[in-house]
Amino acid sequence: MATPAAVPHTPAVGHSASPSGLWSWLTTVDHKRIGILYGLSALAFFVLGGVEGLILRSQLAVPNNDLVSAPLYNALFTMHGTTMIFLGVMPFSAAFFNYMLPLQIGARDVVFPRLNAFSYWLFLFGALVLNVPFLIQPFTQGIDPSSALAPLTRVIPDGGWFGYAPLTTKEFSPYLSIDFWVAGLQILGIASMAAGFNFIVTILNMRAPGMTFLRMPVFTWMTLVVQFLVVLSFPCITVALVLLLMDRLFGTHFYISSAGGDPLLWQHLFWLFGHPEVYILILPAMGIVSEVLPTFSRKPLFGAPFVIFSGITIGLLGFGVWAHHMFTTGLGAAADAAFSVTTMLIAIPTGVKIFNWIFTVWGGQIRLTTAMLFSLGFVGMFTMGGLSGIMHSSPPVDLQQQDSYFVVAHFHYVLFGGAIFGLFSGIYYWFPKMSGRFLDEGMGKIVFGTVMLGFNLTFFPMHFVGAWGMPRRIYTYDEGMGWEQINLLETVGAFILAFGVLLFIISFFRSMKNGLPAGDNPWDASSLEWITTSPPAVHNFDKTPTVYSDRPVWEKNHGPGPGYSLPEGDEHIHLPPPSIKPLIGAVGVGLFLTSFVLLNLTNLALAVTALGLALTFYSFYTWFLEPGH
Amino acid sequence: MKPTRALLLLPLLMVFLAACGGDHPMSTLDAHSDLTRSINVIYGRIFWWTLLLFILVQGGLIYTVMRFRATGKETTNPEQVHGNIRLELTWTILPVFILLHIAIPTVSTIFESQAPASDDAVTVNALGKQWWFSFEYPELGVVTANEMHVPLGQEVAIRLQSDNVLHSFWVPQLTAKRDMVPGRVNHIKFKAEKLGEFLGQCAEYCGDSHALMKFRIVVDTPEDFAKWVEAQKAPADTVADASKAGFDAFQSAGCVACHAIRGTTAASIIGPDLTHVGSRTMIASGILENNAANIKKWIMDPGEVKPGSKMIDLNLTSEQADSITAYIQTLK
């Protein structure tokens, strides 16, 4: 962190007074503010995705329901999946990467702060492109299907979050719905890639002196693994989407079998991204749990190197299992057998993690705070999802479970019981650091109880109804299949779950104003974010600590080692100035990619393409000329 | 925390209560073919292992939390244990044996179930459409839709294809699931072990009416199957005057543009073959019972019955619809 700059000056002068107002947020390059923006956006989209889920559940509450039409139901499940994955869980994780990661490694910011802002604004642009169709659709529904504007009659993405070709090709989906989806995902992909490289470089270069790899907090480790997964897997979906775009716009035939293409090419490319994506969603939560369980057991993480290496192993194996999403497609016996075995192998590092977490808690002094409850809940619920995962790792069994509600149960245990429980845990754990106040603990326990109950009532019964043959993605079902009571029960559960989330949101905003003051290190935790003030100053640390342990703050307080030390004297603090260029650049890139949506309608879209490119070049060019500090 | 924990058992209890009663005609747990039975052998094996692990992990977790709750009176920190290499090795290596116990029958079943069908198998070409299934028996000269008949105890080889989007062929109790992928031929082979009707449904999202793409397999005795084949092979009975008038209505309204009725001039293969549609139990791909009221409803407003239906709304008058309905019902 030492910069060869000329004038050393006292910290906390000039830099730490945080400017306020809308403009300061639009131009911010502070990783903490960007983290807050990610977090609030994620919360908003999480609620939106939840409402979509509630409509789906309401439709299925009783047989032959007509609350929503078939096309709307199909659009809603498409957007529920897309939203929860790309706009809910991923940016929620990104909120913690942004806010906590530089603090955890003793840095003043990420290595490329303006790129970081660019990532956020581009993410927001992509999220809006995906959701704006909800606002357009009511006005375009009445358009004459034979007119030139017919592609506008369906604009809400409705090809499934997996977008399988050839349903998403122009022949079967001649509407803009798929184009909005393609553009939105493409934009989000670039945002994720930019953030991914930023964090990799940050973790590799910006660690405080003495913080060797094995002294890095486990959350930082899991973040590092996730960023490698992002930069290696997102290119696959980028390519898949470009090919789909070419098929839709320029008459190529990558996915069209009658012209020599192959629909399975889409599935291979999509799942080559899609499976690592599962670990992109779950590993951050695993990192959070690996911070929370030791803290509230007052013990170190049991077998920390094994937890870290199993995280890396899961990440690596994640690239060798994609075809287990394709066991029903007829890849042949040899391929089925091979991908089955690699999939089963993932159970081993996953099990290693679970056992290490339990032994972390074993022998500790357990404080059942809300953060701890959600982390313990994570271990229990994620285990459920892992165990049902073993079932469909066997292709013959998968031939019954694939695309049934059994699989819906499975991945909600992984992504809600796993990822979202972990993220909730992280919110309760780090809220005091981010706000200086506790998030209401009494209410927190009620939130946990309600969410736990609602979650299990919603998703546990899905195992049964799936085993009884209920397929996914059906907007209606008949009486007499034995599915009625279970579906009603699930819907009741979903509303209990939603009520729990509502309680959380109320208590979140109340605690932000009225929560009890927390102090710098309220949980007696072990990593560097706890040595700075709550909330941290703009420059994070007055002095950069030197680290001697994997638990620097704990060891400083409880021994045996010194933990960390602070240098004598003042330090030059180097912070980047705010800039509006990242926002302009994001709008430029976003417009450029979105113009392809309109290109399916009119060639005037080329003007938008040109505008997007112009803004992009203007912003990047002037950005490079801006002084860095 | 005790009441919360007790609450957690509630969903389990309610599910078991719900599970007690009622029929589950599409349950994967009732296997009625050699194929689905072999799947359930593996499923059972995995189920018991996962149940054991479930109890071990959840029990261990709950016990640990109960036993090591902080009292608030501790004066020292707990022992700072960093790990144990022997435990790490144990829980890395033991699962390998469990996985082997699962992987071995898995791999052998994969290869057995995907081996080529025997020469005397009944072959059926199944074609997925938006949103119905065409079934053709190439060796027997039979073409039908949405209701496949197969003989009990004899091997059936289904060749799965699609010329549009992806579909997935799924009769849980007989065939398990296999996708219909444009440009490819996929295979299922099975021997039915029980007489009766078995429900199936498309299991791959295929557009608007994916939820309404149902079908069934009827398992007959070999004698009944032979009779069914004979009946299906025969052209439609077009002798009676009434059916002549009905066919005229069918033709003039435009139904012939898509449907075939063997023995008449209607020969299009776009929609389902209707030669013996009157002999099927359901219409509109397994969603409506085959009776006059339903047929009329279906042909007068296809989009209402099946969102996005490819069957064109021909703006039939009520009289036209009645006469076409009457005709279709004669096609036994």
Side-chain angles (χ1 to χ4, degrees):
Chain A
M1 278 300 295
T3 38
V7 203
H9 56 91
T10 19
V13 173
H15 280 300
S16 55
S18 51
S20 56
L22 180 65
W23 185 251
S24 76
W25 284 92
L26 295 179
T27 58
T28 187
V29 292
D30 177 358
H31 70 97
K32 297 179 290 299
R33 284 191 158 203
I34 293 169
I36 289 168
L37 288 172
Y38 266 114
L40 292 178
S41 314
L43 192 62
F45 287 112
F46 176 64
V47 169
L48 183 62
V51 170
E52 285 156 5
L54 282 182
I55 300 173
L56 299 177
R57 279 293 355 137
S58 303
Q59 165 74 7
L60 294 179
V62 290
N64 293 319
N65 199 1
D66 57 358
L67 179 73
V68 291
S69 67
L72 183 57
Y73 184 92
N74 297 340
L76 284 172
F77 78 64
T78 299
M79 286 309 293
H80 172 72
T82 306
T83 301
M84 286 305 196
I85 289 167
F86 294 103
L87 316 180
V89 174
M90 279 185 79
F92 240 128
S93 304
F96 290 125
F97 300 156
N98 271 284
Y99 203 107
M100 286 304 153
L101 191 121
L103 291 168
Q104 279 205 324
I105 61 174
R108 294 229 158 81
D109 207 317
V110 295
V111 77
F112 305 122
R114 280 174 296 189
L115 184 65
N116 201 22
F118 171 78
S119 295
Y120 169 73
W121 295 116
L122 198 56
F123 153 77
L124 187 64
F125 198 106
L128 294 177
V129 167
L130 281 170
N131 282 287
V132 151
F134 279 110
L135 304 177
I136 303 176
Q137 179 100 342
F139 301 102
T140 58
Q141 241 163 356
I143 291 174
D144 177 12
S146 57
S147 82
L149 294 176
L152 274 170
T153 50
R154 283 196 193 186
V155 283
I156 308 172
D158 58 358
W161 89 274
F162 45 93
Y164 275 5
L167 185 61
T168 43
T169 60
K170 205 165 182 179
E171 182 184 354
F172 299 101
S173 294
Y175 308 103
L176 290 193
S177 55
I178 304 298
D179 301 299
F180 272 106
W181 182 78
V182 170
L185 286 202
Q186 207 66 294
I187 293 169
L188 293 174
I190 294 180
S192 298
M193 293 278 290
F197 284 114
N198 205 345
F199 284 115
I200 290 174
V201 180
T202 301
I203 295 171
L204 295 184
N205 289 293
M206 304 281 277
R207 280 166 292 143
M211 186 179 280
T212 56
F213 274 121
L214 283 178
R215 287 180 186 166
M216 263 166 31
V218 178
F219 177 70
T220 300
W221 254 113
M222 291 306 112
T223 307
L224 182 62
V225 176
V226 165
Q227 305 314 327
F228 273 104
L229 295 184
V230 166
V231 300
L232 293 173
S233 70
F234 267 83
C236 301
I237 193 174
T238 303
V239 168
L241 289 168
V242 168
L243 301 187
L244 182 59
L245 195 77
M246 306 253 286
D247 275 8
R248 290 182 63 83
L249 276 181
F250 307 122
T252 56
H253 307 108
F254 290 103
Y255 304 124
I256 300 165
S257 61
S258 55
D262 188 351
L264 288 196
L265 172 63
W266 169 270
Q267 294 191 29
H268 281 294
L269 289 171
F270 182 81
W271 290 114
L272 200 44
F273 148 78
H275 199 80
E277 172 69 15
V278 175
Y279 300 124
I280 291 171
L281 300 171
I282 193 70
L283 286 172
M286 289 179 161
I288 292 169
V289 167
S290 304
E291 303 282 322
V292 171
L293 291 177
T295 300
F296 295 107
S297 308
R298 301 182 67 76
K299 278 181 63 197
L301 182 64
F302 194 88
F306 290 90
V307 175
I308 291 165
F309 279 105
S310 50
I312 298 171
T313 311
I314 290 173
L316 285 176
L317 284 176
F319 281 100
V321 299
W322 78 90
H324 72 210
H325 297 269
M326 302 167 63
F327 283 150
T328 60
T329 59
L331 297 175
D336 284 356
F339 280 98
S340 169
V341 171
T342 54
T343 304
M344 288 180 187
L345 283 179
I346 287 195
I348 296 173
T350 312
V352 167
K353 284 190 166 233
I354 288 169
F355 290 122
N356 275 300
W357 286 324
I358 294 178
F359 273 79
T360 300
V361 185
W362 179 271
Q365 291 164 4
I366 300 166
R367 288 174 290 164
L368 287 182
T369 58
T370 311
M372 184 64 164
L373 286 172
F374 271 110
S375 276
L376 292 168
F378 169 96
V379 177
M381 298 302 103
F382 178 73
T383 300
M384 276 291 294
L387 292 175
S388 53
I390 296 177
M391 292 180 176
H392 29 260
S393 72
S394 170
V397 179
D398 186 61
L399 295 188
Q400 293 285 28
Q401 297 176 341
Q402 162 95 352
D403 277 330
S404 79
Y405 263 86
F406 193 93
V407 170
V408 181
H410 159 74
F411 68 73
H412 280 97
Y413 269 88
V414 174
L415 292 184
F416 199 117
I420 292 179
F421 270 44
L423 293 167
F424 266 107
S425 181
I427 294 171
Y428 276 90
Y429 181 61
W430 279 313
F431 187 87
K433 178 51 62 186
M434 297 164 94
S435 70
R437 297 172 186 280
F438 283 107
L439 185 43
D440 191 335
E441 277 291 316
M443 190 61 131
K445 274 153 200 162
I446 298 172
V447 168
F448 173 74
T450 319
V451 167
M452 188 79 171
L453 176 72
F455 168 74
N456 280 292
L457 267 182
T458 311
F459 297 108
F460 190 73
M462 286 185 187
H463 293 107
F464 286 79
V465 85
W468 293 335
M470 182 165 170
R472 294 170 75 174
R473 305 179 182 123
I474 53 171
Y475 76 94
T476 189
Y477 56 93
D478 269 339
E479 281 170 78
M481 306 303 292
W483 302 338
E484 297 94 326
Q485 295 105 320
I486 294 265
N487 270 287
L488 185 59
L489 184 68
E490 288 163 7
T491 305
V492 172
F495 277 92
I496 295 176
L497 178 55
F499 181 66
V501 174
L502 181 70
L503 288 182
F504 164 77
I505 291 170
I506 293 170
S507 116
F508 180 85
F509 286 106
R510 279 180 51 187
S511 298
M512 211 133 75
K513 278 209 160 28
N514 315 319
L516 298 172
D520 293 351
N521 186 8
W523 311 123
D524 201 359
S526 64
S527 42
L528 286 180
E529 73 267 32
W530 303 103
I531 64 175
T532 169
T533 53
S534 303
V538 178
H539 58 280
N540 292 355
F541 301 96
D542 290 346
K543 296 173 181 179
T544 301
T546 302
V547 175
Y548 306 109
S549 155
D550 59 342
R551 298 199 296 158
V553 182
W554 173 276
E555 291 212 357
K556 183 97 173 171
N557 296 333
H558 302 277
Y564 69 91
S565 66
L566 296 172
E568 300 282 326
D570 286 338
E571 217 174 88
H572 174 80
I573 293 172
H574 162 114
L575 284 179
S579 168
I580 193 67
K581 300 295 156 48
L583 175 56
I584 297 175
V587 172
V589 174
L591 282 179
F592 170 69
L593 289 168
T594 314
S595 65
F596 291 111
V597 172
L598 304 171
L599 208 52
N600 245 335
L601 202 63
T602 160
N603 282 339
L604 291 176
L606 287 171
V608 183
T609 317
L611 176 67
L613 278 176
L615 282 178
T616 307
F617 283 118
Y618 162 75
S619 131
F620 286 175
Y621 186 70
T622 50
W623 164 347
F624 297 142
L625 296 180
E626 268 180 352
H629 47 91
Chain B
M1 285 312 296
K2 282 243 161 64
T4 318
R5 238 177 268 139
L7 274 179
L8 299 184
L9 295 174
L10 204 65
L12 268 170
L13 187 75
M14 292 169 81
V15 167
F16 282 125
L17 284 179
C20 286
D23 262 357
H24 303 110
M26 280 179 69
S27 175
T28 60
L29 305 175
D30 301 323
H32 294 300
S33 75
D34 58 339
L35 173 64
T36 51
R37 223 167 9 88
S38 70
I39 289 173
N40 280 3
V41 170
I42 305 173
Y43 176 70
R45 195 179 274 201
I46 304 178
F47 178 80
W48 293 114
W49 274 121
T50 51
L51 186 67
L52 180 75
L53 290 166
F54 177 79
I55 294 169
L56 205 75
V57 170
Q58 310 291 2
L61 188 65
I62 290 170
Y63 173 76
T64 309
V65 172
M66 282 167 39
R67 177 161 165 200
F68 295 103
R69 282 287 294 277
T71 58
K73 295 177 191 132
E74 292 90 352
T75 50
T76 56
N77 284 321
E79 194 192 340
Q80 302 293 298
V81 183
H82 285 267
N84 180 318
I85 194 83
R86 247 180 274 166
L87 277 174
E88 300 289 348
L89 287 176
T90 310
W91 58 53
T92 307
I93 293 166
L94 266 189
V96 175
F97 292 100
I98 301 178
L99 292 177
L100 275 177
H101 191 229
I102 297 169
I104 290 168
T106 291
V107 171
S108 65
T109 306
I110 291 173
F111 280 92
E112 278 161 30
S113 64
Q114 296 191 27
S118 59
D119 290 339
D120 58 350
V122 177
T123 307
V124 187
N125 288 325
L127 191 59
K129 295 283 192 176
Q130 276 179 319
W131 290 270
W132 59 282
F133 292 91
S134 162
F135 300 133
E136 181 208 4
Y137 296 66
E139 291 136 4
L140 305 174
V142 170
V143 180
T144 183
N146 304 324
E147 290 183 21
M148 180 191 289
H149 283 245
V150 301
L152 181 74
Q154 199 178 331
E155 188 161 83
V156 178
I158 308 178
R159 294 159 44 88
L160 303 158
Q161 284 168 284
S162 166
D163 60 1
N164 47 91
V165 299
L166 299 167
H167 301 281
S168 192
F169 185 95
W170 189 27
V171 182
Q173 306 188 337
L174 294 180
T175 68
K177 199 177 291 134
R178 211 32 107 178
D179 294 352
M180 301 166 128
V181 183
R184 291 181 182 238
V185 182
N186 278 335
H187 302 271
I188 293 177
K189 66 177 168 105
F190 71 102
K191 278 185 202 141
E193 295 175 341
K194 190 183 170 193
L195 292 173
E197 292 197 1
F198 297 89
L199 301 182
Q201 187 163 351
C202 175
E204 183 64 81
Y205 175 55
C206 53
D208 287 357
S209 276
H210 163 58
L212 302 180
M213 188 171 166
K214 301 181 189 180
F215 65 108
R216 57 191 60 202
I217 295 181
V218 183
V219 180
D220 295 324
T221 60
E223 299 75 41
D224 285 350
F225 178 71
K227 277 186 218 156
W228 178 80
V229 169
E230 282 313 307
Q232 294 288 314
K233 267 161 67 171
D237 179 10
T238 52
V239 182
D241 281 350
S243 58
K244 173 77 177 71
F247 180 74
D248 287 345
F250 184 86
Q251 190 166 34
S252 62
C255 308
V256 288
C258 295
H259 293 284
I261 299 173
R262 273 174 292 123
T264 73
T265 49
S268 175
I269 56 164
I270 294 170
D273 185 302
L274 299 180
T275 310
H276 296 288
V277 65
S279 69
R280 297 177 203 148
T281 51
M282 307 289 279
I283 57 163
S285 189
I287 60 172
L288 293 176
E289 266 179 57
N290 191 352
N291 59 41
N294 281 339
I295 295 173
K296 187 176 176 189
K297 181 168 135 191
W298 173 218
I299 59 179
M300 285 198 72
D301 196 351
E304 181 64 30
V305 173
K306 194 177 265 193
S309 173
K310 307 288 176 198
M311 181 150 90
I312 299 158
D313 186 346
L314 295 168
N315 295 317
L316 301 176
T317 63
S318 186
E319 292 75 38
Q320 272 179 310
D322 281 332
S323 105
I324 293 169
T325 302
Y327 172 63
I328 283 175
Q329 287 196 295
T330 67
L331 298 171
K332 296 283 184 196

